[in-house]
Amino acid sequence: MLQKRLAGLDLIKVMAVFSVISIHSIGNLHILDMNMQGIKAFIILTFRYLVMSCVPLFLMITGFLQGRKTMDRKFYKGLLPILASYWFIAALGAIYNMSQDAAITWQTAILSVFNFTANNYSWYVEMFIGLFLLIPFFNAGYASLQTKQKKLFLLAILFLLTIAPSVMTMFQTAEKSYDILSKYWMEFYPITYYLLGVFIAEYKPRPNRLFCLAGALLCSVLPVVIVFLKAGGGAYVPWVFNGFYSVSSFFTALFLFLAFYQWDIQNKAFRFVLTAVAVSSLDIYLFSNLTEKLIYPHIGQIPLKLPVMILIIFAASFIAAKIKQLLFFICRTGYQKLKNQKRS
């Protein structure tokens, strides 16, 4: 299995799921409720802009791996494991929500699973279902552009429509925004990242890794400088490049992806760990919401709370994901045995 998988992509998946948990931990712990001054605030805010690359990285990986898929039954059956994982984890979340709120009925709980409200982070699954259904059509349209120049032109247009408008947030104030570039298409950013991944898979650019890492760091630092200048030593300014469609998230994710996607990791132990986490990335992401609800009410004042809580949530979600996968394996094996017995 280690030989078939691309170690660089597994590393990016691990980075992405770790980054998701980091973003949520920063929010849950209200870390940014501080004045924007001093080295501590600068480092934390730089870290936040760095990990904002998480969803773009997941979408680029999807494009990289799915860029040659066509419309057939086998492809669409690939959505079933994703739905099964979501329904299982969301059902656990709905049960927990019922235990905490007597006003939630069984009917409301069941509805919450299917309207994507049982799990606070299920918006990604809701978005991904639509993206998955459209993948063969995106691939066909992309493939019809027979030259590299035409494909780059498509990416440039998508960047202009979905990413570039975020540049104007640099000039925004609490009272006024300057929407010179149309924001109408910004929510279509998953298509931009998906096709960017398809493009990288086809042409496999090989930039210098140190250059890419420096670029990712620079794209995370520049928004912090802008926030510090606009805050003037006061409260955090939340609108500057704040979103997965922001220009800083785009270039941070692009630089990180290019830095690691072709990294051939030889250490078998390290590759084993990467694979173990990477294959569970969606489950870890979804379980992190439930583990947060279970753990956060019971934490007190601890040193280094942010890194400690990131590691605890990550570890708890990973364990939950592996238990879920074991249960699914047992059920699948049992079903197959019963099926075989009926045939015989």
Side-chain angles (χ1 to χ4, degrees), residues 226-266:
I226 296 171
V227 168
F228 267 52
L229 290 174
K230 294 183 77 69
Y236 170 60
V237 179
W239 55 79
V240 175
F241 296 152
N242 191 17
F244 301 126
Y245 42 67
S246 72
V247 68
S248 61
S249 294
F250 176 89
F251 284 108
T252 301
L254 177 59
F255 280 127
L256 288 175
F257 195 95
L258 293 175
F260 294 115
Y261 83 102
Q262 287 189 320
W263 193 7
D264 184 18
I265 300 171
Q266 298 297 326

Side-chain angles (χ1 to χ4, degrees), residues 9 12-13 16 52-67 124 127-128 131 135 155 163 189-202 205 244 249-261:
L9 292 187
I12 294 172
K13 281 187 178 180
M52 281 289 292
S53 61
C54 55
V55 169
L57 288 174
F58 276 129
L59 292 169
M60 290 169 68
I61 290 172
T62 302
F64 191 96
L65 296 176
Q66 305 292 334
Y124 183 86
M127 175 275 295
F128 188 81
L131 177 64
I135 278 175
L155 291 175
I163 307 298
Y189 70 87
I191 300 171
T192 303
Y193 289 119
Y194 174 81
L195 290 177
L196 182 59
V198 176
F199 181 88
I200 293 173
E202 181 178 7
F244 301 126
S249 294
F250 176 89
F251 284 108
T252 301
L254 177 59
F255 280 127
L256 288 175
F257 195 95
L258 293 175
F260 294 115
Y261 83 102

Side-chain angles (χ1 to χ4, degrees), residues 97-251:
N97 293 338
M98 285 183 65
S99 71
Q100 300 299 304
D101 187 350
I104 299 177
T105 64
W106 277 105
Q107 291 87 346
T108 305
I110 293 171
L111 179 62
S112 70
V113 173
F114 292 97
N115 67 10
F116 299 95
T117 58
N119 185 297
N120 294 349
Y121 305 149
S122 59
W123 71 266
Y124 183 86
V125 178
E126 187 175 12
M127 175 275 295
F128 188 81
I129 290 171
L131 177 64
F132 192 95
L133 295 174
L134 290 168
I135 278 175
F137 304 98
F138 290 146
N139 292 347
Y142 175 88
S144 71
L145 303 174
Q146 298 176 354
T147 66
K148 184 177 182 180
Q149 288 73 19
K150 289 181 180 179
K151 293 169 183 176
L152 281 172
F153 188 61
L154 169 63
L155 291 175
I157 290 174
L158 287 171
F159 178 87
L160 180 66
L161 293 175
T162 64
I163 307 298
S166 67
V167 172
M168 303 312 299
T169 61
M170 290 191 300
F171 310 103
Q172 184 177 334
T173 66
E175 296 79 24
K176 191 172 183 180
S177 61
Y178 299 88
D179 299 328
I180 297 174
L181 297 174
S182 172
K183 296 168 60 178
Y184 188 87
W185 290 88
M186 289 181 72
E187 293 297 337
F188 284 74
Y189 70 87
I191 300 171
T192 303
Y193 289 119
Y194 174 81
L195 290 177
L196 182 59
V198 176
F199 181 88
I200 293 173
E202 181 178 7
Y203 293 101
K204 295 182 174 57
R206 295 175 176 268
N208 179 274
R209 181 171 296 139
L210 289 178
F211 170 81
C212 289
L213 291 176
L217 181 60
L218 180 63
C219 291
S220 302
V221 168
L222 287 178
V224 179
V225 174
I226 296 171
V227 168
F228 267 52
L229 290 174
K230 294 183 77 69
Y236 170 60
V237 179
W239 55 79
V240 175
F241 296 152
N242 191 17
F244 301 126
Y245 42 67
S246 72
V247 68
S248 61
S249 294
F250 176 89
F251 284 108

